[in-house]
């Protein structure tokens, strides 16, 4: 069954989390929504941070918070899920750094990123419906391998990973039954 705050992922990366479930329809809070947040690491350097959407309806952007001033991060760096908090499997693309403002004072740098997912072209998503802590590394590896190989989501056979499963598909910001939907996701206003 689909619950609240479950990871929603596309072949390109993190889409967001489930927000509201009603019958066969699921509303998704996009990663660019101001109420969204994802623990990340900079793939190149291992620097840690927290991606939060700006909520700007005119463009899809994210702030990268809590990147220490001494951490190495630069424009073009890929941000991936850290696995911290066990909401998202580790290593899923979240965004790409577009601007870094190193400050002469304070603890943190100011960093901006664009999401890995092009929300205007998304057709299908995966909802990770259940995962237990002991299975998260295996789930993450299987999911990444599938997304890289197939470039389109399908229901995965996870017989060897207890209680793990997926649902897929998105239509205009809502996730429906498998096999339905063909629209673009829009940010929550």
């Amino acid at each position: 069954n689909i619950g609240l705050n479950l990871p929603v992922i596309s072949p390109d990366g993190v889409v967001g989390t489930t927000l509201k479930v009603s019958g066969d329809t699921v509303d998704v809070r996009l990663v660019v929504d101001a109420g969204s947040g994802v623990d990340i690491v900079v793939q190149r350097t291992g620097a840690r941070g927290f991606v939060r959407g700006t909520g700007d309806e005119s463009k899809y952007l994210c702030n990268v918070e809590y990147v220490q001033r001494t951490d190495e991060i630069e424009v073009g760096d890929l941000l991936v899920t850290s696995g911290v908090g066990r909401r998202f499997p580790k290593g899923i693309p979240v965004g790409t750094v577009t601007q870094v403002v190193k400050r002469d004072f304070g603890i943190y740098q100011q960093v901006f990123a664009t999401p890995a997912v092009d929300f205007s072209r998304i057709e299908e998503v995966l909802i990770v419906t259940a995962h237990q802590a002991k299975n998260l590394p295996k789930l993450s590896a299987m999911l990444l391998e599938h997304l890289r190989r197939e470039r389109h989501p399908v229901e995965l056979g996870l017989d060897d990973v207890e209680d793990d499963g997926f649902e897929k598909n998105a239509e205009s910001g809502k996730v429906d039954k498998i096999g339905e939907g063909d629209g673009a996701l829009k940010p929550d206003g």
Side-chain angles (χ1 to χ4, degrees):
N1 287 351
I2 296 176
L4 301 179
N5 293 316
L6 295 176
V8 180
I9 302 167
S10 81
D12 294 323
V14 171
V15 173
T17 56
T18 57
L19 180 64
K20 186 171 100 177
V21 180
S22 178
D24 292 341
T25 302
V26 177
D27 289 342
V28 174
R29 173 171 288 160
L30 302 181
V31 72
V32 294
D33 186 278
S36 179
V38 181
D39 281 295
I40 58 93
V41 294
V42 178
Q43 188 176 49
R44 181 178 61 84
T45 65
R48 304 212 28 191
F50 190 79
V51 167
R52 185 177 308 279
T54 62
D56 185 343
E57 293 185 22
S58 66
K59 52 190 164 198
Y60 295 117
L61 289 176
C62 299
N63 293 316
V64 186
E65 302 174 350
Y66 309 117
V67 177
Q68 294 189 11
R69 190 168 45 112
T70 56
D71 286 341
E72 187 180 337
I73 187 169
E74 57 189 45
V75 172
D77 277 341
L78 179 63
L79 308 173
V80 297
T81 54
S82 68
V84 171
R86 302 199 181 276
R87 178 178 292 167
F88 285 94
K90 184 177 182 178
I92 307 293
V94 177
T96 303
V97 174
T98 57
Q99 183 181 8
V100 177
V101 179
K102 286 214 181 228
R103 298 179 174 162
D104 294 333
F105 59 90
I107 300 172
Y108 304 113
Q109 303 178 54
Q110 188 174 14
V111 181
F112 301 95
T114 56
V117 173
D118 180 351
F119 296 104
S120 67
R121 297 183 183 270
I122 196 166
E123 292 184 16
E124 297 180 314
V125 300
L126 295 173
I127 297 175
V128 182
T129 58
H131 56 274
Q132 297 176 346
K134 65 180 181 176
N135 294 325
L136 199 53
K138 191 172 199 178
L139 170 64
S140 181
M142 291 175 72
L143 177 61
L144 285 170
E145 177 59 28
H146 172 76
L147 291 176
R148 287 185 185 117
R149 187 181 25 186
E150 299 296 326
R151 291 300 299 164
H152 62 85
V154 297
E155 186 150 0
L156 300 179
L158 297 175
D159 298 331
D160 56 339
V161 181
E162 182 180 313
D163 294 333
D164 288 338
F166 300 90
E167 297 280 337
K168 70 173 185 176
N169 216 312
E171 180 177 340
S172 299
K174 302 192 184 310
V175 179
D176 300 314
K177 290 281 192 190
I178 292 174
E180 299 174 354
D182 58 18
L185 293 175
K186 303 291 182 204
D188 273 290

